[in-house]
Amino acid sequence: MTYTEPVKLGVKRFPPIKHGITYSGKSFENGIPKAEDVLYIGAFVIDKPIEAINMMRFWSNKFMHHVTLAYKPPQEVIDLLFNGVDTVSNSKDSILIGTELVAKVYRVIHDNLACVALVDIDVPCRNTYPHITIGTAETVKPVYSNDLIHLHFNNNKEIFCANMSFDVDVRIGIMLK
């Protein structure tokens, strides 16, 4: 079942994602969006690997969508992403909007509410533990992943984990509000 299917048994479903992902600055006036228009910078999954697809089938809400790199980023972070020049140090940065790279999954954790892949990614990330939400239970929103990770790293015995290793191809982009 996906979240675009009709409501069944009176259970409220999440609405489909209504925001737009952008991988370039072509659609903006000066080529760079304004901070007030950006929800987050992310590393968006290009193709779901078979390992993730096999895990997703156990969850009512299937995600495997992105790694959040910066939630509601300041303008200087957005400027750097789009033009590659740090205006403070005047140095050139190679990670730009649209860059494709690999996020390396090293562990999968879950409880009865959600499943999360912890990843290593070679770009700056404001999350202490970069991750991709794989899926959640019927009424659980993907933001619960942050709580699950916190519980895991505080040695909660109800959190299951498996050290795994697989690659996820991602592309740097922004999610607009």
Side-chain angles (χ1 to χ4, degrees):
M1 178 189 302
T2 66
Y3 52 79
T4 57
E5 290 181 1
V7 173
K8 295 182 182 177
L9 302 175
V11 177
K12 182 180 177 187
R13 303 295 303 164
F14 295 118
I17 294 172
K18 62 180 181 272
H19 308 291
I21 302 170
T22 299
Y23 298 112
S24 75
K26 294 178 183 172
S27 60
F28 302 102
E29 187 175 313
N30 67 351
I32 301 174
K34 299 291 180 209
E36 61 264 14
D37 297 327
V38 176
L39 185 59
Y40 63 85
I41 297 170
F44 295 91
V45 174
I46 297 170
D47 290 313
K48 294 176 179 82
I50 190 67
E51 295 89 344
I53 291 169
N54 288 339
M55 287 181 267
M56 288 173 69
R57 65 190 175 113
F58 295 103
W59 298 96
S60 298
N61 302 312
K62 296 155 182 41
F63 295 103
M64 197 65 192
H65 184 255
H66 70 278
V67 177
T68 301
L69 302 175
Y71 183 73
K72 294 187 178 177
Q75 191 64 50
E76 49 274 7
V77 172
I78 296 167
D79 293 346
L80 179 60
L81 183 69
F82 278 83
N83 67 26
V85 177
D86 185 338
T87 53
V88 175
S89 68
N90 210 23
S91 64
K92 185 87 170 142
D93 191 331
S94 61
I95 300 298
L96 298 171
I97 189 84
T99 299
E100 292 184 8
L101 57 142
V102 175
K104 296 186 173 292
V105 173
Y106 65 90
R107 182 175 299 149
V108 173
I109 61 174
H110 72 89
D111 62 5
N112 63 327
L113 299 176
C115 182
V116 176
L118 299 174
V119 301
D120 282 326
I121 189 163
D122 290 333
V123 293
C125 182
R126 290 187 169 192
N127 276 335
T128 304
Y129 300 104
H131 64 278
I132 301 172
T133 302
I134 294 172
T136 66
E138 188 74 30
T139 59
V140 178
K141 295 191 179 207
V143 71
Y144 172 73
S145 295
N146 295 313
D147 295 335
L148 179 62
I149 293 166
H150 177 76
L151 291 169
H152 169 68
F153 283 105
N154 283 293
N155 297 314
N156 184 305
K157 302 299 182 206
E158 295 179 17
I159 308 302
F160 302 94
C161 72
N163 292 333
M164 300 183 82
S165 180
F166 60 92
D167 293 343
V168 181
D169 294 327
V170 295
R171 181 180 299 125
I172 304 300
I174 58 169
M175 178 69 80
L176 299 173
K177 291 181 182 176

